[in-house]
Amino acid sequence: MVGPLRTPAAPLALPVPPRPAPIPARRAEAPHRPLDAASAPAIAAAAKLVLRPLARVDKISLFEREVRERLSRAALDLIFAKAGVMSEGQRSLRQGREHFFGSTMLTIELPAVADAVRDVCDARAAQHLCALLATDTVAAARIKSIAAAEAERLCRARPRSIGAEIKVRARGTTVYVDVDVEAGF
């Protein structure tokens, strides 16, 4: 069982603005100025605009909240399933060991996924996707796994270690992902 919270010696005192004078009840309009249907909504709107005094804060929040935006897993699946993949490279000896040096380029055409997503697939969306792909660690891992699979396909052998450098850019509604790959055997 959790006991009661202890309060500090001096409570947190924030300035409290003075309370405004109460608004008197609205009287019926004078007989010479009848209340018409057009003025009733204006009166109701004016009554809602009355500001209330700020509440006194005795406690503060322990946590600060923020909104983050990231690519959904379903979106990543869709994007990489529709992406065009082109790879090149070759094996060579380096310091007596066999290495693979190559590159893989993913071409993501946003109009190709437009039917499956809610967002507008224009040049602005391509720039936004480019920025998110460049910073998302899950997307980077997926891109590296595609590049590793391409290196394995080109070499016809599974690499012992693999390194990849990813560059992302957008042109129009197309996003280009360039991956420079170095693999050791």
Side-chain angles (χ1 to χ4, degrees), residues 5 8 23 47 51 65 71 74 97 99 113 140 142 145 157 165 174:
L5 294 175
I23 298 174
L51 297 177
R65 290 159 184 86
L71 295 167
R97 298 173 104 179
H99 285 275
V113 299
R142 290 280 294 270
S145 71
E165 181 181 334
T174 305

Side-chain angles (χ1 to χ4, degrees), residues 13-19 53-57:
L14 298 176
V16 178
R19 293 182 180 252
L54 296 175
R56 181 178 171 182
V57 176

Side-chain angles (χ1 to χ4, degrees), residues 71-129:
L71 295 167
S72 69
R73 302 301 168 245
L76 287 175
D77 291 342
L78 177 67
I79 287 169
F80 292 129
K82 298 277 187 170
V85 180
M86 184 173 60
S87 298
E88 64 173 359
Q90 64 183 12
R91 291 171 100 164
S92 63
L93 285 177
R94 182 178 181 188
Q95 298 174 350
R97 298 173 104 179
E98 197 169 2
H99 285 275
F100 170 80
F101 297 97
S103 64
T104 297
M105 185 169 92
L106 303 174
T107 305
I108 302 165
E109 297 282 348
L110 286 186
V113 299
D115 292 340
V117 296
R118 273 185 270 180
D119 304 295
V120 177
C121 292
D122 57 0
R124 187 174 177 183
Q127 289 291 334
H128 193 59
L129 176 62

Side-chain angles (χ1 to χ4, degrees), residues 43-64:
I43 294 169
K48 288 181 182 178
L49 292 178
V50 175
L51 297 177
R52 302 191 189 278
L54 296 175
R56 181 178 171 182
V57 176
D58 290 329
K59 297 181 182 181
I60 60 172
S61 177
L62 185 60
F63 304 101
E64 199 172 291

